[in-house]
Amino acid sequence: MTAKAQTVLATTTDGRISAIRGGVVDVVFDGAVPRIHDLLYAGDIALEVAGLIGHGKVRAMAMAPVRGLGLGMTVTATGGPIKVPVGDAVLGRMLDVFGAPIDGRPAPVATEHRAIHQPPPLLSERAPQSKILETGIKAIDLLSPIERGGKTGLFGGAGVGKTVLITELINNTVQHHQGVSLFCGIGERSREAEELYREMGEAGVREKTVMLFGQMNEAPGVRFLVGHTALTMAEYFRDDKGQDVLLLIDNIFRFVQAGSEVSGLLGRMPSRVGYQPTLATELAGLEERITSTKRGAITSIQAVYVPADDFTDPAAAHIFSHLSASVVLSRKRASEGLYPAVDPLASASVMLTPSVVGQRHYDIAREVRRTLAEYEELRDIIAMLGLEELSSADRATVGRARRLERFLTQPFFTTGSFSGVEGKLVPIEDTLSGCETILSQTEFEHPESAYYMIGGLDDLENAS
């Protein structure tokens, strides 16, 4: 179903274009005036009402380049907002903000269509207790556990394994949690979209995944709304089918950026550092829909770009206020071949408390962090004087830290086809037992290399 083919819900008077400013179009109606978020059409170009100016005039943002539009041109109101298909028909598909296919296949035949703008669940409908979503990835489950129904920030530049980690999380959710995954690309490059589509097909997880893209070359209105389209589809699986949904957003900063572009075009006075004055409410309108209810949960992993590494930037600060966990991918660890390249000292989670994960998990995670932090402090001494100059206690600390670093690596299912190593899904209990064993040792039977790319410590004998 194309965007143009959406059902007209009510008959309203046609309007005419009175002004065009970049991607913003002013439309005058002589009769009934459409509401905010209503969908209009000027020829084949879709417009969404963003503001009511008065005297029958509305201001709308264009969902496509405005070439071909002219003053006085007729505009048709559909009588309702953008509606997208929901349900099993969208699984395995690559779609745009209107739910129209961009994978070269026929349009999904869905029995139901829903408006992309929905209120967040009521407090009475939300699940009151916090639960951990077990990912099977040792470094994340141990040091930065993900909240079921929560929001996790994934920080990392190009080439540190962000896409591989996202693909593995999708694989583990689909294969082991009987859920569905939804990938939302906001401001994605077409190269990244094509690679992800192909990789998911090769990994065998595409049929339980929906991919939505508002690409970098598209209008800011499209990039601003594609996140709401993704959440509408995710909410169907959570609320109607009672499934757990993993929602991956890459990149949430580009949602803020698109909102800033739209705000500027609409003529709003910019706020601090040039951002839109409505930054907090726009972000909250999207983020508050991501939650767990009594029927199911939407758990979100969001890639976050931090402008100029300035964590006080208003966009970064507002995004952080919604996150329950942060996973930082380190270029230094990636250069050493330690994949996933999760930085154990920079990653954190509000779930890592004794009341949620238990006292044992909390104590082991703290001890692992303390050991790795001590090793970081000793690195300069080792580089200058050598390992032999350290005391026996420090040498034992270094031995434990180097083995922990390697133990927190693991082979992924999604990389098995080209690495030749079968992927491992490691239960939290095996991760805790392995780290506990390493932390209790002062003499080591196996070399450091034996701990590299294994699952639990049971695999140690085979590795050595």
Side-chain angles (χ1 to χ4, degrees), residues 90-126:
V90 299
L91 290 172
R93 302 303 305 272
M94 189 153 66
L95 309 169
D96 66 9
V97 68
F98 297 102
I102 51 175
D103 53 9
R105 292 160 59 191
V109 182
T111 55
E112 190 178 349
H113 290 74
R114 287 189 183 172
I116 65 169
H117 297 284
Q118 301 285 350
L122 298 172
L123 281 173
S124 58
E125 296 173 1
R126 302 193 183 204

Side-chain angles (χ1 to χ4, degrees), residues 25 38 100 104 122 136 151 162 182 192 202 334 339 394 408 413:
V25 179
D38 272 10
L122 298 172
K151 296 167 273 285
K162 194 169 55 184
L182 230 133
E192 294 171 327
E202 291 167 357
Y339 288 105
D394 283 346
L408 291 177
F413 292 97

Side-chain angles (χ1 to χ4, degrees), residues 249-411:
I249 301 177
D250 188 7
N251 190 300
I252 192 66
F253 174 76
R254 294 192 193 123
F255 166 78
V256 174
Q257 211 170 27
S260 180
E261 289 178 53
V262 168
S263 179
L265 290 168
L266 292 173
R268 295 179 186 144
M269 185 70 73
S271 181
R272 193 160 60 98
V273 200
Y275 286 108
Q276 63 269 43
T278 51
L279 167 60
T281 49
E282 286 171 1
L283 193 61
L286 184 76
E287 297 277 16
E288 288 302 300
R289 292 171 69 181
I290 303 169
T291 186
S292 56
T293 66
K294 292 166 183 173
R295 292 181 291 277
I298 300 174
T299 305
S300 175
I301 310 247
Q302 306 173 10
V304 183
Y305 167 69
V306 181
D309 291 333
D310 178 14
F311 286 85
T312 63
D313 184 271
H318 280 96
I319 291 167
F320 279 132
S321 67
H322 291 279
L323 300 179
S324 56
S326 56
V327 177
V328 179
L329 299 181
S330 155
R331 192 170 300 283
K332 179 170 166 288
R333 288 179 70 80
S335 68
E336 294 171 1
L338 301 173
Y339 288 105
V342 176
D343 187 330
L345 302 179
S347 303
S349 171
V350 298
M351 294 287 100
L352 196 59
T353 60
S355 59
V356 178
V357 298
Q359 191 66 46
R360 177 170 172 252
H361 184 156
Y362 176 72
D363 290 341
I364 292 170
R366 281 195 65 182
E367 189 61 23
V368 166
R369 277 221 179 93
R370 189 187 64 78
T371 303
L372 293 173
E374 282 185 17
Y375 175 47
E376 282 298 315
E377 291 172 4
L378 293 169
R379 274 178 183 266
D380 289 343
I381 299 172
I382 296 167
M384 287 186 290
L385 303 175
L387 189 62
E388 295 74 21
E389 295 300 317
L390 297 178
S391 66
S392 58
D394 283 346
R395 281 203 298 275
T397 298
V398 170
R400 285 194 290 268
R402 290 179 66 83
R403 282 163 178 79
L404 283 170
E405 279 187 334
R406 282 148 185 77
F407 180 64
L408 291 177
T409 64
Q410 77 188 78

